Amino acid sequence: MLTAPEKVGFSNTATIERKAQNIGDPIARLKYLRRVTAEPEPPKRRNPVRYVPFCLAVLLLTLRSDARLRHATEIHHAASPSGSEIQGVPNVWRVEATKDYEVFSNGLRIENDLAVANQPRSYRLISVDEQGRTAPPPLNPMPALPRPPHPAVKKDLRRLSPVTDGLPFEDGRSPSQRNIPAGIVFHTTESDQVPFEPGQQRNLQRITRDTLLFVRNKRAYHFLIDRFGRVHRIVAESDSANHAGNSIWADSRWLYLELNQSFLGVAFEAAMQNDQARITEAQTHSAKVLTEMLRSKYNIPAANCVTHAQVSVNPDNMRIGWHSDWGKGFPFHEVGLPDNYQQALPSLYLMGFEYDTLYVNSTGPGIWQGLATAEERLREASEAHRMPVPRYRALLRRRYSDEIRALHQWGADEEN
Amino acid sequence: MKSDASKAPAIGLDVGTSRIVAARQVEQSIRYDVQLNAFVSIPYSKMTENVLRKENVPYSVDGNEIVVHGNESERFADLLKKEIRRTMARGVLNANEPDSVRIIRDITSQLAGKAEKGQKLCFSVPAAPMGAEENLTYHEATMRDILAGMGFEVQSINEGLAVVYGELESSNYTGIGISCGGGLCNVCFAYLSVPVLSFSIAKAGDFIDSSAASVMGERANRVRLLKEQSFYMNGSFEDKLKQVLGVYYDDMIHALVGGMKTAFSGAKNMPKLARPVPLVLSGGTAMPKGFPERFEKILGESDFPIELSEIRMAADPLTTTAKGALVAALSDM
C-alpha cells in the first residue's frame, strides 16, 4: 500500500484549490498542482512563545465587538469578485440537523417540515466536445475523452466536432451517468404579492403558506426562499424537481439538457413585477448562504449557477425564453457569484435555438451581452465548418432533436 | 495516421493484464489504439505464415510454432478452440510464460511505434496487492527497459492515480480512482493530485472468468466474450452462466469494498477533507450495465469511512488509464 503522508501535510490548501480552479486547461492545472504540492513545507521549528502577544492581540480585536466583525464581513462581500472571475467554493458544513431543520456553519438554516421525495436524480453526461466545441480552444488543449456517438446521432452531425475525429468507437458502451447536481437554476414563484410591510403580516404569511403547499404539491423546486428569508426544503436534494423541463445549459465539459434532473431549483417567493423581481434583503442573504452551502457540498462551479430565463427553451418553435423569470435583475454579486448574465447561451450556439423580440424585451442588458457572444460563437463555428449560419443552425437543431430522443430513450431504459 | 501519431509529443500507455492501450494527442483530440495483451501459438507451416502475412496479422515465428499476438489472438484461439495465453497475470509479467517479455515488446512496439527524439512515454503500473506485498520492481524495471529500448523517455504512473488524472480534473484531481481490469482492481485516493493511498486486489475480470468457467466447464475465453457482449448486473437470468457470472461479480465487488474499507480505515495521516470526494470507476470489468449501482449499494452497506460526493463511471472506462498516463506525461513537459 502506498502512502505519502509527508506530501499531504502541505498547508494553504484553500489557496491552492482556488488558484487551481482558475486554471482552465487540465494539463496546466495538474502541472501547477504537482509543482505546489511537491514544494517542501517551510521549516516549523519556531519558538511558539514569540507569537503569544500577536495571538492575544488578534483574539482581543476579534472579541471586542460582534457588530464590528459583521461590518467587516459585509465590506468583504461588497468587494466580491466581478464578472469574469471564477470564485472558489467556500467551505460550509452542517452544524446541526433535526427532522424539522438543519443549521450550517455559514448561518444557513433550512426548514425541513415540508420536505418531500420525488424521482431519484440520475442524468446522462453529454460531452460538450461531442456536441461540437465552438469556442476557441485553450492554449494547451486536452479535450474530454471522445465517447461513442449515440446511434441516434447521425454521421454528418458527428463530423461537426473537431475533437471526435479520432478512432471510431465500435463497441457499444453505456453513456456515463451521474446523480449529483451539476448546477443551480434560480426562479421566481410568480405567486401573489402584497406589500412587504407590518400591516400585511397576516396576508404575507397566508400567501407564503399557500405558495409553499402549491409548490410542494407540484414538486416544483428543491428550495423556496420566502419573503422573510426563510429557506424551505421542498424536494429532497437527491431527487429531481419539476423546475426546468425544457432547458439547456453547458459548462466547459458537459452539456445539460432538461435540467430537472441535473440542476437544483431554487425559487424566490417573488414575481417579475414590471419585468423586475423585487426581493427582500433577507431573501438575498438567504440565497447567498444557500448557494454557498450547495456549491460547497457538490463542488458546483459558479458558472453553473444561472437563472431560469437563461436556460429555458421552447422546442415547439425553437425559441429560447419560454420562461423568462430572472431575465434581468438577479443579484449575482450579492449572492456571491460572478455576473453570469454575460455568459453565452449554450441553447443558441450549441443547439441552434433563436430568440425573438419578446425575449429581448423581457430580459436585460446582461443577457443581451450573452446573446451577442453566443451569436458570435455560432458565426465562428459555422465559418469553421464552412457552411452558412442557417445551414449550420439547422444541423445543430437536428442534433438537439437527436440528443433529446436519445435522452428520453435512455430515461426509458433506465426505468426498465 | 501513423505520421500524425509519431508527431505526438507524448504517449500514455495503459499496460493491463488484459489489454494494452496507447493514448496520444493528435491535434485537438486523443487517439487511442488498443491491442489485446495476449497471444496464441499455432503449429508452423509455410502456408499458414503466408496467409498471416497476406492478412496483415501480427505474428512471430518461434521454432516450429507461429505466435499470433494482440487482437487477432482471440479470433485464432476461438477458431482453434484453444485458450489464449497471457503475457501478464495479476497485473505483472507472467512468470509462467517464458516468452512474455518478447511478446509484450512486440505488442507495445506495434502500439507505440518508433520514438521521436525526446518523445515521452508514461506507462501504468499496478499498486501492490493487499495482503501480498509482491515485489513489483521486476515488472516495472522490465517494462521501463523495453520502452526505453524503443527510444522513449520513460516514466511510470500508478494505475489508480492515472484514473484520477484522467477523470477528476473538475475536483482538482482529488478523489478516488478505481480501475477494474483483467488481473487486478487498482484503487488510488489522491488529494490535489498527490497519491495518498493506493492498493490493488487480485480479484478482477480473470478471476470472474476462470471461476465461472470452472463451474460451467467452459473455456475462460468464451466466458469472457459472453461477459463482455451480453452480461449485465442485477438481472434475474434464465441463463445459468449469467447467474454464475453475477455471483462472482458480487464476490469481486465485496472483496474490493472490503479492501477499501480496511485500507481507508487504517490509513494514517489522511488529509482533512473539506468536502465529500468523488469516486470514479473504470476498466473493462466495470463496464457491465448496473455495475456502478451494485458497487454503490455494497459500498453503502459497508460503513465506508470517507464521505463521497458521487460514484460514477468514467466517460470511457476502457481508455481512462491511458488518458491519465498521457495527462501525466504532458504535465511533465
Side-chain angles (χ1 to χ4, degrees):
Chain A
M1 194 186 309
L2 168 78
T3 51
E6 73 285 359
K7 285 188 177 176
V8 293
F10 45 80
S11 55
N12 61 343
T13 51
T15 311
I16 293 172
E17 283 206 67
R18 194 167 56 249
K19 282 186 179 170
Q21 207 70 47
N22 283 334
I23 303 170
D25 173 32
I27 302 294
R29 188 186 295 184
L30 180 57
K31 204 176 266 192
Y32 165 76
L33 283 169
R34 291 175 88 179
R35 180 170 54 79
V36 294
T37 54
E39 282 170 2
E41 278 283 275
K44 287 180 178 172
R45 279 176 290 171
R46 289 175 182 162
N47 181 3
V49 178
R50 284 173 58 191
Y51 298 97
V52 169
F54 174 74
C55 294
L56 276 174
V58 169
L59 188 64
L60 284 171
L61 276 173
T62 52
L63 288 176
R64 201 175 120 204
S65 162
D66 185 45
R68 187 183 178 86
L69 189 66
R70 288 180 188 191
H71 180 63
T73 309
E74 281 162 14
I75 288 170
H76 172 72
H77 286 147
S80 61
S82 64
S84 58
E85 194 174 341
I86 298 169
Q87 298 177 340
V89 182
N91 181 18
V92 181
W93 69 96
R94 196 165 63 178
V95 177
E96 189 184 355
T98 72
K99 70 178 176 57
D100 294 325
Y101 66 88
E102 288 164 74
V103 176
F104 293 82
S105 60
N106 64 348
L108 169 67
R109 178 185 160 110
I110 298 176
E111 310 297 333
N112 285 334
D113 53 330
L114 291 171
V116 65
N118 200 18
Q119 294 296 318
R121 170 182 291 101
S122 177
Y123 59 97
R124 173 175 166 263
L125 288 171
I126 307 167
S127 167
V128 165
D129 290 328
E130 188 178 303
Q131 294 309 307
R133 180 179 286 181
T134 54
L139 284 175
N140 188 5
M142 172 53 67
L145 196 65
R147 293 192 299 110
H150 192 278
V153 181
K154 293 177 179 62
K155 201 175 178 185
D156 55 341
L157 301 180
R158 294 205 304 267
R159 278 204 189 136
L160 282 172
S161 165
V163 297
T164 54
D165 292 343
L167 282 182
F169 288 79
E170 289 169 354
D171 52 344
R173 295 169 207 166
S174 62
S176 291
Q177 66 182 80
R178 185 177 282 191
N179 54 17
I180 65 161
I184 302 170
V185 177
F186 297 104
H187 303 256
T188 56
T189 55
E190 297 302 310
S191 47
D192 291 343
Q193 302 280 292
V194 291
F196 193 73
E197 51 194 42
Q200 295 286 345
Q201 190 173 324
R202 291 184 71 167
N203 281 336
L204 285 164
Q205 286 185 315
R206 177 182 53 79
I207 291 171
T208 296
R209 189 75 193 164
D210 289 350
T211 305
L212 282 166
L213 291 175
F214 178 80
V215 301
R216 182 182 193 266
N217 189 36
K218 297 280 182 191
R219 268 62 167 174
Y221 312 106
H222 293 93
F223 298 98
L224 187 147
I225 304 173
D226 71 20
R227 299 187 74 188
F228 305 103
R230 289 175 302 195
V231 178
H232 301 269
R233 187 186 295 284
I234 307 296
V235 174
E237 285 167 43
S238 58
D239 297 351
S240 65
N242 308 318
H243 65 101
N246 291 315
S247 51
I248 297 168
W249 194 250
D251 53 32
S252 60
R253 188 167 179 193
W254 305 114
L255 171 71
Y256 307 99
L257 302 175
E258 302 196 347
L259 307 182
N260 282 346
Q261 288 289 342
S262 49
F263 278 48
L264 292 161
V266 173
F268 293 76
E269 188 189 0
M272 297 292 292
Q273 293 168 343
N274 302 319
D275 291 338
Q276 179 67 57
R278 290 196 179 85
I279 57 172
T280 63
E281 283 183 28
Q283 282 179 297
T284 306
H285 175 76
S286 296
K288 178 180 175 297
V289 289
L290 176 62
T291 304
E292 276 180 1
M293 184 278 285
L294 294 172
R295 290 190 60 204
S296 171
K297 187 172 180 180
Y298 299 112
N299 208 12
I300 294 172
N304 279 3
C305 302
V306 289
T307 70
H308 199 191
Q310 291 175 276
V311 302
S312 174
V313 297
N314 181 358
D316 289 340
N317 61 9
M318 292 305 282
R319 298 276 190 277
I320 61 169
W322 175 242
H323 294 280
S324 59
D325 43 329
W326 285 127
K328 58 184 169 185
F330 185 79
F332 278 113
H333 286 204
E334 289 79 357
V335 173
L337 294 166
D339 184 0
N340 281 337
Y341 276 138
Q342 296 181 16
Q343 290 197 68
L345 300 188
S347 47
L348 269 69
Y349 72 88
L350 285 178
M351 296 281 103
F353 279 78
E354 291 180 279
Y355 60 91
D356 52 23
T357 50
L358 203 62
Y359 183 75
V360 174
N361 290 338
S362 60
T363 53
I367 282 192
W368 300 342
Q369 199 172 326
L371 293 175
T373 315
E375 287 194 318
E376 185 56 32
R377 286 195 184 184
L378 186 75
R379 245 191 319 274
E380 284 172 8
S382 63
E383 279 170 16
H385 293 295
R386 293 178 184 171
M387 59 176 82
V389 169
R391 198 175 138 217
Y392 182 69
R393 185 181 283 128
L395 279 179
L396 293 179
R397 289 179 172 194
R398 275 168 55 197
R399 172 181 296 159
Y400 172 75
S401 304
D402 289 340
E403 280 296 346
I404 287 292
R405 201 178 309 124
L407 190 72
H408 291 170
Q409 180 59 45
W410 180 79
D413 290 346
E414 284 297 297
E415 281 172 21
N416 294 334
Chain B
M1 289 269 271
K2 266 267 189 269
S3 59
D4 281 351
S6 66
K7 284 177 197 160
I11 294 176
L13 200 66
D14 170 15
V15 184
T17 307
S18 175
R19 287 181 175 83
I20 301 182
V21 184
R24 44 169 68 80
Q25 194 173 13
V26 180
E27 295 176 353
Q28 302 298 310
S29 64
I30 305 176
R31 208 191 90 186
Y32 298 98
D33 298 294
V34 186
Q35 285 288 331
L36 211 60
N37 191 4
F39 63 100
V40 63
S41 54
I42 48 182
Y44 179 85
S45 81
K46 191 71 188 166
M47 195 182 79
T48 309
E49 189 181 10
N50 284 340
V51 171
L52 294 177
R53 190 182 298 127
K54 204 172 165 187
E55 295 284 318
N56 281 327
V57 174
Y59 73 96
S60 57
V61 179
D62 184 24
N64 57 355
E65 286 189 323
I66 294 177
V67 179
V68 176
H69 61 255
N71 293 340
E72 293 294 332
S73 61
E74 191 168 57
R75 186 157 62 96
F76 278 84
D78 213 33
L79 278 172
L80 301 168
K81 307 231 181 300
K82 291 175 82 170
E83 283 288 5
I84 52 170
R85 290 155 67 185
R86 293 283 180 77
T87 68
M88 286 169 57
R90 294 191 169 194
V92 295
L93 285 163
N94 189 350
N96 295 324
E97 287 290 356
D99 286 335
S100 62
V101 173
R102 181 176 62 80
I103 293 165
I104 208 168
R105 180 185 285 118
D106 289 345
I107 297 172
T108 49
S109 172
Q110 190 184 343
L111 283 168
K114 196 171 185 300
E116 293 276 294
K117 193 180 175 191
Q119 196 174 13
K120 284 185 182 289
L121 185 147
C122 180
F123 70 99
S124 65
V125 289
M130 277 190 109
E133 307 286 319
E134 287 170 16
N135 190 351
L136 299 168
T137 313
Y138 171 73
H139 170 78
E140 185 174 350
T142 307
M143 283 309 302
R144 194 177 284 274
D145 191 47
I146 290 171
L147 296 164
M150 289 157 59
F152 291 101
E153 285 184 20
V154 185
Q155 63 181 105
S156 62
I157 184 171
N158 171 276
E159 189 171 328
L161 183 63
V163 174
V164 173
Y165 284 3
E167 276 291 321
L168 292 179
E169 81 268 11
S170 61
S171 62
N172 283 335
Y173 304 102
T174 295
I176 300 170
I178 299 178
S179 168
C180 299
L184 298 169
C185 286
N186 271 276
V187 181
C188 178
F189 168 53
Y191 181 61
L192 293 175
S193 83
V194 177
V196 178
L197 181 157
S198 60
F199 66 93
S200 63
I201 63 159
K203 276 187 179 174
D206 290 346
F207 159 79
I208 294 170
D209 300 345
S210 58
S211 304
S214 66
V215 169
M216 296 297 295
E218 265 285 8
R219 283 185 296 116
N221 195 36
R222 285 197 74 85
V223 172
R224 185 173 67 81
L225 288 173
L226 182 135
K227 184 184 76 179
E228 290 178 357
Q229 282 163 6
S230 62
F231 176 72
Y232 55 92
M233 305 284 293
N234 307 328
S236 55
F237 299 109
E238 296 287 319
D239 185 338
K240 178 83 188 295
L241 178 55
K242 288 182 180 174
Q243 279 180 31
V244 173
L245 281 170
V247 169
Y248 285 108
Y249 250 107
D250 257 16
D251 189 20
M252 186 201 81
I253 296 173
H254 274 110
L256 176 60
V257 167
M260 287 171 65
K261 193 186 166 194
T262 306
F264 282 86
S265 304
K268 291 172 183 168
N269 297 312
M270 285 284 281
K272 195 176 166 191
L273 299 169
R275 63 181 75 89
V277 297
L279 183 152
V280 179
L281 295 161
S282 71
T285 301
M287 284 181 69
K289 193 177 173 192
F291 182 90
E293 290 79 11
R294 187 78 189 134
F295 175 85
E296 187 169 358
K297 184 170 186 295
I298 293 172
L299 188 71
E301 292 163 355
S302 76
D303 198 20
F304 184 59
I306 304 284
E307 201 178 345
L308 299 174
S309 59
E310 66 172 324
I311 295 172
R312 69 171 169 89
M313 286 299 294
D316 179 24
L318 281 184
T319 56
T320 310
T321 304
K323 182 189 174 192
L326 175 63
V327 168
L330 289 169
S331 75
D332 257 4
M333 297 179 77

